[in-house]
Structures are given as C-alpha cells and as structure tokens.
C-alpha cells in the first residue's frame, strides 16, 4: 500500500485584500528592481543585471515542484492565477515574489562579491537575507495568502523558519554563481548562462541540502516529528558544508580590474 502524505487544504479561503496588497506591492517592487538592473547594466556595459531579473522570472515556473516537496499551498478559492501545474494554481504575484526575494538581493550581493567579500561579510550577508526572506514569508502567510501545511520543523508565527535557511543558501549560491560568471566569461553572450544557473542553484540549495528533511516530511500522512528533526539535523550539516563550499569560491568572485565596463 502506498504511504500517503499530508493533504493540501485546497478549500482554505484566501484573504482577497491581502492578495491585492501582495500583487500590487510585489509587482511595484519588481519595477524598482528592473530600473535598478537597467542602471547597473549601463554602468557595467553588460546585460547580466537584467538577465539576473529575467532568470528569476523564468525560474519561478518551477515553483509547483517546490510546493509539492515542501508542502506549500497557495490558497485557491478566489485566486488570480498565473498558471497551473500538477493541479496547483500559482498566483499572479509568484513571479514578482521570486524577483524581489531572490533576484533583488542578488543584484546587490553580486556587486559586493565583485568588489571583494571576506568570510565574515559573507556570513553577515547570509544572515541578512535569511531574516528578510523570513519576514516576507511570515507576512504573506499570516496575511492569509498561502501556507506550509502538515508537520514542519521550526515553526514560528506559522512559518517554518528552516525554509528561510535553505532560501538564504540559495540566494548566496545564485549571487556567487552570477559573480563568477561576471568575472570569468570571455564574451557577453555567455551571460545567458545565468538562465541555467538560477534553477541549478535553486535546486542545489533547496533540494540538495534540504532533501533529508523533505524525505521525512513526505514519509507519511502524519510523519514523526522525531524523524523530521533528526533529518533536519542532517540538513543543517549539509547547509554548513554548502556554505563552506561557497566561501571557498569567494576569492574567485573578485574582479582583478574594477573599472566599470571591464566585465
């Protein structure tokens, strides 16, 4: 007999006011980051900053895969949907959320890496993006737009904080990948590789370091919390190893020549 997993609350009501706030707010911030990316592209004589934004928009199409594994449900009744996959409708602001939560910080972090970042600065930046991600998701969740259902480790204000840890690893991974691309490509068309690097780093961080906990979460309809926390401990070990790996990349992200347009 197939072991079932927790059932999503498909019929849970959606806060329509908060849906409007998140749609207008996230797309408004997306416009800000697009303008910022265009200015950075002009300064650098490179399309890479714009590609970073577009890569996040394209990468958001993978969200249903994340939802299934992490037990996330965007409340459906009354939802303004962008698309549906695996029977899971995605809201019109899922794409803008990816841009402002992941790509916006990556624009600034990539520039910091390009100028030089040491280990202490790396971990400080990691802590900042962890906190900002957690705050954003906690607001959206408690505002009644979506939820992480079923047992989850480290819930705080209805938000499983362990998710923020993985997402912070992703933001730092993607930023370092973008900085390496900026420093070491030999032609501008190679900057198109960022469209592959976004999903690769997304799954590296969230599924690569998170897989032990994800297996526990999906081990049954009521998985043991003892098992979940035991697997979460392994996830934390993988996170530590991933962060150490990223720190080893720091020297290679710094440009030898910081003259604008040299990249």
């Amino acid at each position: 007999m197939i072991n079932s997993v927790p059932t999503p609350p498909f019929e849970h009501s959606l806060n329509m006011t908060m849906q409007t706030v998140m749609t207008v707010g996230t797309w408004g911030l997306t416009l800000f980051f697009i303008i910022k990316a265009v200015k950075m592209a002009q300064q650098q004589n490179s399309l890479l900053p714009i590609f970073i934004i577009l890569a996040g928009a394209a990468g958001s199409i993978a969200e249903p895969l994340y939802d299934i594994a992490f037990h996330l449900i965007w409340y459906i009744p009354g939802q303004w949907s962008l698309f549906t996959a695996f029977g899971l409708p995605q809201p019109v602001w899922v794409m803008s959320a990816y841009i402002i939560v992941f790509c916006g910080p990556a624009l600034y972090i990539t520039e910091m890496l390009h100028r030089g970042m040491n280990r202490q600065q790396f971990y400080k930046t990691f802590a900042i993006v962890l906190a900002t991600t957690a705050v954003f998701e906690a607001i959206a969740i408690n505002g009644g737009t979506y939820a992480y259902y079923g047992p989850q480790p480290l819930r705080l204000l209805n938000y499983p904080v362990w998710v923020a840890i993985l997402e912070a690893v992703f933001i730092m991974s993607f930023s370092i990948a973008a900085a390496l691309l900026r420093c070491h490509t030999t032609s501008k068309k190679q900057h198109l590789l960022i469209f592959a690097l976004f999903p690769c780093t997304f799954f590296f961080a969230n599924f690569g370091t998170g897989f032990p906990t994800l297996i526990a979460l999906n081990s049954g309809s009521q998985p043991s919390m003892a098992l979940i926390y035991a697997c979460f401990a392994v996830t934390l070990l993988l996170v530590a190893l991933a962060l150490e790996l990223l720190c080893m990349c720091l020297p290679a992200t710094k440009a030898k020549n910081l003259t604008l347009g040299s990249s």
Side-chain angles (χ1 to χ4, degrees):
M1 180 178 179
I2 297 176
N3 203 8
S4 60
V5 296
T7 303
F10 291 113
E11 303 303 321
H12 194 288
S13 60
L14 170 65
N15 185 327
M16 303 301 290
T17 300
M18 194 62 176
Q19 175 175 231
T20 303
V21 171
M22 296 304 293
T23 301
V24 175
T26 58
W27 279 109
L29 284 172
T30 293
L31 179 60
F32 167 80
F33 283 121
I34 289 173
I35 294 173
K36 178 65 178 179
V38 169
K39 291 181 178 179
M40 293 177 73
Q42 292 172 339
Q43 293 172 342
Q44 298 173 16
N45 188 28
S46 166
L47 289 176
L48 183 60
I50 297 174
F51 287 169
I52 287 174
I53 298 295
L54 295 178
S60 68
I61 305 301
E63 174 65 15
L65 295 172
Y66 180 97
D67 296 348
I68 292 171
F70 284 80
H71 297 173
L72 186 153
I73 181 73
W74 304 84
Y75 294 142
I76 298 172
Q79 182 194 115
W80 303 331
S81 298
L82 182 65
F83 70 98
T84 298
F86 302 102
L88 297 173
Q90 304 294 305
V92 294
W93 56 278
V94 66
M95 186 177 290
S96 53
Y98 265 59
I99 291 171
I100 68 171
V101 174
F102 302 141
C103 300
L107 286 176
Y108 293 96
I109 297 171
T110 299
E111 186 64 29
M112 292 167 61
L113 289 161
H114 190 66
R115 296 181 180 279
M117 178 183 287
N118 59 33
R119 179 181 293 265
Q120 182 179 5
Q121 292 169 328
F122 172 88
Y123 279 102
K124 180 179 179 180
T125 305
F126 171 78
I128 291 172
V129 294
L130 191 160
T132 55
T133 300
V135 169
F136 175 86
E137 290 216 60
I139 291 172
I141 289 170
N142 288 280
T145 58
Y146 69 91
Y148 289 88
Y149 58 91
Q152 297 274 353
L154 295 184
R155 276 197 188 270
L156 179 63
L157 299 176
N158 299 316
Y159 175 58
V161 180
W162 79 285
V163 169
I165 297 173
L166 302 189
E167 291 181 343
V169 174
F170 162 55
I171 293 170
M172 299 307 297
S173 301
F174 179 56
S175 299
I176 284 178
L180 288 171
L181 192 62
R182 179 181 175 184
C183 286
H184 300 288
T185 50
T186 56
S187 66
K188 291 181 180 179
K189 66 180 181 181
Q190 291 177 330
H191 289 160
L192 289 168
L193 292 171
I194 198 70
F195 287 93
L197 290 173
F198 185 95
C200 286
T201 52
F202 181 85
F203 286 101
F204 159 76
N206 290 298
F207 287 76
T209 64
F211 87 88
T213 309
L214 294 176
I215 294 298
L217 293 182
N218 289 278
S219 63
S221 59
Q222 290 296 326
S224 163
M225 288 305 299
L227 174 64
I228 289 174
Y229 272 100
C231 290
F232 175 58
V234 180
T235 287
L236 287 180
L237 174 60
L238 293 176
V239 165
L241 293 174
L243 293 176
E244 180 61 25
L245 175 63
L246 294 175
C247 282
M248 291 173 62
C249 297
L250 291 179
T253 64
K254 183 178 180 180
K256 296 179 180 179
N257 185 346
L258 292 179
T259 304
L260 294 177
S262 64
S263 58

